[in-house]
Structure formats: structure tokens, C-alpha cells
Amino acid sequence: MLTFIVRRLLWTVLVMFVITVVVFIIFFKTPGVDPARAIAGRSPNPQTLAEIRAQLGLNRPFPIEYGIMMKKLFITRDLVSYSNQGVRVVQEIFAATPATLSLVFGAAVLWVVLAIAVGIAAALLKGTIFDPLLMVVALIGVSAPVFWVGQLANMISQGGLHGTFLFSWVPPLGYTPFTQSPALWFKGLVLPWITLSLLYIGFYGRVLRANLIETQNEDFIRTARAKGLTERRVLMRHNVRTSMITFVSLFGLDFGALVAGGALLTEVVFGIHGVGFLTYQALTNLDLPTIMATTVYGAFFIVLVNALVDIGYAWLDPRVRPT
Amino acid sequence: MTAETLLEVRDLKVSFRTEDGLIQAVDGVSLSLSEGETLGIVGESGSGKSVTMMSVMRLINDPNAHFEGEVVYKGRDLMKLTRDQMRKIRGSGIAMIFQDPMTSLNPVYRIGWQIAEQIQAHEQISKRAARARAVELLTAVGIPHAAERVDNYPHQFSGGMRQRVMIAMAISCNPDILIADEPTTALDVTIQAQILSLIRKLKNDFGTAVVLITHDMGVVADLADKIAVMYAGRIVEQGDRRDVFYDAQHPYTWGLLGSIARLDRPKPRRLSTIPGLPPSLLRLPPGCAFGDRCAHRFDRCDERPALLAKVGDGHLDACHLDIEKKKELRETTIHPELIEEAK
């Protein structure tokens, strides 16, 4: 198992290297595009362009160019944004990370707990009216767009009903760091958490239900019953445990994608200045250094979480473990 | 037999509601099993032998299933027990092993854990003690290096070894009855023989009564004390092993006997088969269910034959044919090659 983990992590490093090369090629070696012009932002003067070329070594051979870029991204971390007047990009991303992590972690807790509850409830109630009912509610959760749910939540909690006891506790939009005020951090994130997790509760609930029902017919579930285990134990230790394999691998992918900036819509709607928000701003300003840095950051995070998922998967399912 | 009756199935009927209509999977089956006895239930796929024993264990969880009849185990009708009372009997009083050992064990747990789980479900016992017992059991069923293998996962075992693990699990709480549902069907022939001799050994060592479900007369030939032959959800012949093998009364039993390749007789040019397929359980004929496939069908076969003791005590059959006539027909049906030789 240990060698598996080490191997998997080494593999991760290799994948990350390939990603940086690919991202670099896309941003700097696309034929017909002058990267200096793209980086300089809107209507640059020749002086700035020359400065950028010199700084990033754009006239030098490819490996050196790549090396300079990576040095600026990972070692000196002094890649600056031109459309955003000299802001250091890497530091900006690191500053935005806690907000995104707070949002995604909280939502993940909500969605895992509730999706398991919904999935098990629906599977147990199969054959009654509640199963299709739950599944329709879940489907609505999946179909409701985040920006719509978010705006609706804002409209109600910040607008019309803010005066009533129901929503008077909701602070103004934005993110308060945990270190500043844990209470405010929590209050400000409740609605974003719910909004973001809604889709995943619905989706994961449906996936788990399907897996549970499929597993119910497996021979080993029959064996578990024939052993004289309680129904509860058959369900939790045999059926749910085995069905969680799909759930966990999906979770890793979604979680990684969200931390990598996928929570963009939620962050924008609720004014949370996280990585998604940063990406959104960079995209609207065509701020190339920031876009590139968030892309690399996002890719790194997804690759890292994927490695963790693979390790978790091997822990859950002994059949994929190397012997 | 002086031994006490352990299990008695009385007029068990199991039907399933389906979109096409009612399927009568088991149609009035009565069986009894005494302590330490081995009962072989033989029949083709779909003859209701598995459903009968699954119903005894109350393992059929289908809301469309309907059960009638009694299953008396040690004086209690299992059909009337609460779910929790029934749970306590499963695994400790009556244990069951299944056809496909490749899928019958949970792939994500160590086998020792799975055996210990069953012991702990029925006994107040520490984890360590349960695990130690698992190792003993694995040794008893012939798994080499059991102390190390106890921590392996099912996929690290071969099919035959997995069936041994299943058997170890089944006997872990010293059950009175072991139901083996086609325990050797998914295994290759040499392994089949090993598993069967293991079952025999355990039966002798622990005095467990065994119900052996199979479609292979060869499997019950030297293991069973009594044999019940099932066809289309009914028992067509029932009796002591010797009676069923050497004095078979039902043409279906003849067909089954004829389809065994025997080494102690002249080699037939072709192994005989029973023509046709079993009838649909949705629309059983009103008369003898085997009628359409029977070479000796006559007028009375349109009337459903009752399962009666015609040739002797304890040897029952459901066939209208005359006993004397059967004697003639039997040899030619089971061994057509004898006639060819005579020619």
C-alpha cells in the first residue's frame, strides 16, 4: 500500500509537469499570437511591451522561456498582472484560497451528509410513493441553476424578508475570514453553502440510490442476510459500504474541480472573493497572467485531489490495490 | 429412522406476481429432514428447488412473492416468526451456502472479518476470539496457512477456496442444518469432488444435517440419504437414495439417471437426454407437468397425479403408470444402449 501511495504521488508530480508545459505552450506558443501583447492588457504602449519581453525572456529559446515562467510562478512568485496594475498574481491566488476552501469544504460536508441520507432513504422507500417523490426533488435540485438559486436566496435574505426574524441574521454579501470573526464567517457562508451543495445533494443522492439498489441484488448481500445479520447491519456495513466506491471517486473529482475555481458562479453571486471570483475578474479584464496562474493552480489541485481519490479508492476497494 | 425430525416443510406454495401473470414457483412441496440426515433435492433449473430452500430461510425479499404452507423447525413455524426471531435462526440454526462462490463473499472485507462477523452476530464473543475461531474454521475446511490467509480478501482466493471459505462461514455457529444450493455447479470437476468430500466430512464430524440442492444426480449419488426429485415446482419422486437410484418410479427420474455418464456400464454412443424444455410456470398443464416431455404418456396423464407411496413405505412418486409396466419401460429408458446391444 505504501509503495502504491509513493508511486501514485510520483506520478502526480509528472502529470503536474506535463500540465505546466501544456499550459505554457497554449499561452505562449500559440501561432499568430504575440504573448507580450496579450499579457500587457488593453492598448499597451511599446515601452510596456518591451519591458514584458525582457522580463519574461520572450525572445529567448523555448526551454529558457519556460524556465523563467516557472521560476516566476513557483520560486520568486513575482509574476505581475498588467491590467491590474502590478498586483502579484500568485500572492493574489493564495489570498483568495481560504475563501474558496471555506465555501467548498462547508458545502461538501452538507452535500455528503445529505446525499447519503437522501440516497439511503430513497433506496429503503423503494416501491412507496416517497422514493419517486424524493428523486423528483433531487432532480429539481440538480436542474436549478446556481446563479438563479443564489440570486433568489439573496433577493429573499437581503431584500424583502431581511427585516423579519427569519433572515435578519444574514450579514451583507461578502466573505469574512474565519480569523477575523468565526461567527460572521459562518453566518455569511450558510446561504452560499446551501446554494452550492443543492446540485450535488441531488446528483449524489440519485447516484447513491441507484448503486444501493443495484448492490441489493448482489449475491454477497444475500450471504449477509443468510448469516443472520440485522437488516441495519446488512444495509450499512455491506450495501452502503460497497456502494460508496462510486460516490467517493465522483466526490474527489467534483471537490477538486470546485476548489480549482469551479465554484465561480456561487462566488460571484455571493460576492465571495475566492479563486473562482478571481478567475471571473481576470477573464472579464483579459488579464492573462492571472488566467494562466489560476489555470495552473486549478489543474494542480485537480491532479492532487485525484491522487488522493485514487488512494482513497484503493483503501475502499481492496481489489484495485496492488499486491 | 429413529432420529428426531429437525425440519419439516408442509405443503409449501410459493408464487410470484409478475406482469405476465402468476408464477407458481413452488406448488405444494412437503419435505422432512431428520438430525444428521442428508437430503438431496434434484431437478432442472427452474424446478423450484432453490426457491423452496430460500423460502425456508425466508431469504426471498420480493414484495410480489406469496407464501403458503408451514416450515416447522424444532417445533416452530418459521413462516410465522418475526423478522428478528428469523434472523437469529439464520446462520446459527440453519446456514446456507450458494452456487457462485465468486460473488457470494463481500469483495471489500477480509475473509476472516466476514466469518467473525457472523459469529459475533450470534454469540457474545470478543473480536479476538471470533478471529481465532475463524482461523480454526479455515483450517478445518482445508485452507492452507489459514493464520495468514485469514487476512486476505476474497479476490485473492480461487473459486474452490472461496467455496471452502463460504462453508467455513456457514458452519461457524454449529448450525443444525446446512443448506447447500448447488455448491459445486460453478466449480470445475476435480474441485467439485473436493468440496463434496469436505461437506461429507463436516457432516460426519459435526453431525450437521445437510440439504443438498443440485441438478446433478451424480452429486447426490453418494452423499444423500434421501432424495427428492423436483419438476416444475412439484416433487415427482421422493425416497431413500437406494430406492430412487435402483428402483426409480418416475419417467423424469429415469431421464435424469439416464443422462449421467457412467463408467461401470458399456459406453453409450450418445448420452441420452430428456427431450424438450420444462413447461412455463405461468401456464402449467392441468395434468402431469412432465406429460409433454414424457415418452410413456397415456390418457390418464391429463389428470394431475398425486404423490403417493405405491411401491413401498417412504418411496413416493407422482406417476400414473402401472408398477409392472414401469419395470419394463425403465431399463429401456435409462439405458437405451442395452436394447441396441440386444439387436
Side-chain angles (χ1 to χ4, degrees), chain A residues 224-256:
Chain A
R225 286 217 173 81
K227 282 160 82 171
L229 306 182
T230 58
E231 280 304 307
R232 189 193 165 82
R233 195 175 167 93
V234 173
L235 176 76
M236 298 310 291
R237 296 307 285 266
H238 289 269
N239 196 349
V240 173
R241 167 67 172 73
T242 319
S243 302
M244 284 304 280
I245 294 170
T246 321
F247 191 99
V248 167
S249 37
L250 276 178
F251 175 79
L253 293 177
D254 279 331
F255 184 82

Side-chain angles (χ1 to χ4, degrees), chain A residues 218-220 222-223 225-231 233 237-238 241-242 245 316-319 321 323, chain B residues 54 59 61 83 87 90-91 98 103-109 113-114 117-118 122 153 155-156 169:
Chain A
E218 292 282 350
D219 288 348
F220 62 79
R222 185 181 58 188
T223 307
R225 286 217 173 81
K227 282 160 82 171
L229 306 182
T230 58
E231 280 304 307
R233 195 175 167 93
R237 296 307 285 266
H238 289 269
R241 167 67 172 73
T242 319
I245 294 170
L316 273 176
D317 190 346
R319 284 168 297 183
R321 272 178 226 169
T323 40
Chain B
M54 293 277 276
L59 278 176
N61 251 6
R83 272 165 68 162
R87 176 191 76 70
R90 282 200 285 260
F98 301 97
T103 54
S104 293
L105 290 160
N106 191 324
V108 306
Y109 293 117
W113 187 94
Q114 298 192 44
E117 185 188 31
Q118 172 161 352
H122 296 288
Y153 290 94
H155 70 273
Q156 292 164 308
M169 196 150 82

Side-chain angles (χ1 to χ4, degrees), chain A residues 42 83 268 277-287 291:
Chain A
R42 288 192 179 112
S83 50
V268 172
F277 195 88
L278 198 67
T279 314
Y280 167 76
Q281 276 182 325
L283 283 170
T284 44
N285 298 333
L286 273 177
D287 181 359
I291 296 175

Side-chain angles (χ1 to χ4, degrees), chain B residues 190 204 266:
Chain B
T190 46
N204 295 337

Side-chain angles (χ1 to χ4, degrees), chain A:
Chain A
M1 189 73 188
L2 196 69
T3 46
F4 171 73
I5 293 174
V6 171
R7 258 205 346 240
R8 191 64 189 78
L9 290 177
L10 282 177
W11 180 244
T12 305
V13 172
L14 182 72
V15 172
M16 285 179 176
F17 169 72
V18 173
I19 286 172
T20 57
V21 173
V22 170
V23 169
F24 180 78
I25 291 174
I26 290 172
F27 278 86
F28 289 88
K29 293 293 165 197
T30 312
V33 179
D34 179 6
R37 191 170 279 279
I39 286 171
R42 288 192 179 112
S43 51
N45 55 40
Q47 223 179 333
T48 321
L49 285 177
E51 194 185 313
I52 292 170
R53 287 208 178 92
Q55 251 185 17
L56 300 180
L58 291 183
N59 301 322
R60 302 171 71 178
F62 176 89
I64 295 178
E65 222 179 304
Y66 170 80
I68 290 175
M69 197 63 220
M70 290 306 118
K71 191 180 127 206
K72 281 186 171 300
L73 266 178
F74 294 109
I75 299 163
T76 53
R77 298 196 203 119
D78 56 356
L79 186 67
V80 290
S81 158
Y82 284 85
S83 50
N84 209 354
Q85 284 322 310
V87 171
R88 288 186 164 196
V89 172
V90 180
Q91 277 78 351
E92 205 179 13
I93 291 177
F94 277 112
T97 308
T100 298
L101 284 178
S102 300
L103 173 66
V104 176
F105 261 112
V109 170
L110 258 187
W111 106 53
V112 166
V113 171
L114 290 179
I116 291 177
V118 167
I120 292 179
L124 284 182
L125 295 169
K126 189 173 175 268
T128 70
I129 180 75
F130 296 103
D131 168 36
L133 215 64
L134 262 174
M135 284 303 102
V136 167
V137 172
L139 196 62
I140 292 172
V142 174
S143 338
V146 168
F147 53 86
W148 179 77
V149 176
Q151 291 290 19
L152 202 69
N154 280 342
M155 214 174 75
I156 294 169
S157 67
Q158 303 289 343
L161 295 172
H162 188 66
T164 67
F165 70 98
L166 270 175
F167 294 107
S168 54
W169 55 269
V170 181
L173 292 184
Y175 170 76
T176 318
F178 185 80
T179 45
Q180 218 173 75
S181 160
L184 220 55
W185 171 85
F186 183 81
K187 283 186 197 164
L189 279 170
V190 170
L191 287 173
W193 282 337
I194 295 173
T195 306
L196 181 59
S197 59
L198 218 53
L199 157 76
Y200 295 99
I201 294 170
F203 180 66
Y204 280 70
R206 289 177 72 94
V207 167
L208 183 62
R209 170 188 174 271
N211 270 315
L212 284 171
I213 288 172
E214 200 186 303
T215 311
Q216 250 166 29
N217 299 319
E218 292 282 350
D219 288 348
F220 62 79
I221 296 294
R222 185 181 58 188
T223 307
R225 286 217 173 81
K227 282 160 82 171
L229 306 182
T230 58
E231 280 304 307
R232 189 193 165 82
R233 195 175 167 93
V234 173
L235 176 76
M236 298 310 291
R237 296 307 285 266
H238 289 269
N239 196 349
V240 173
R241 167 67 172 73
T242 319
S243 302
M244 284 304 280
I245 294 170
T246 321
F247 191 99
V248 167
S249 37
L250 276 178
F251 175 79
L253 293 177
D254 279 331
F255 184 82
L258 282 179
V259 176
L264 187 148
L265 288 174
T266 315
E267 288 182 5
V268 172
V269 169
F270 289 100
I272 296 168
H273 290 232
V275 180
F277 195 88
L278 198 67
T279 314
Y280 167 76
Q281 276 182 325
L283 283 170
T284 44
N285 298 333
L286 273 177
D287 181 359
L288 213 62
T290 310
I291 296 175
M292 189 178 72
T294 50
T295 307
V296 171
Y297 157 87
F300 269 29
F301 213 88
I302 290 176
V303 172
L304 187 71
V305 172
N306 255 314
L308 294 179
V309 166
D310 278 356
I311 293 165
Y313 193 92
W315 174 70
L316 273 176
D317 190 346
R319 284 168 297 183
V320 304
R321 272 178 226 169
T323 40

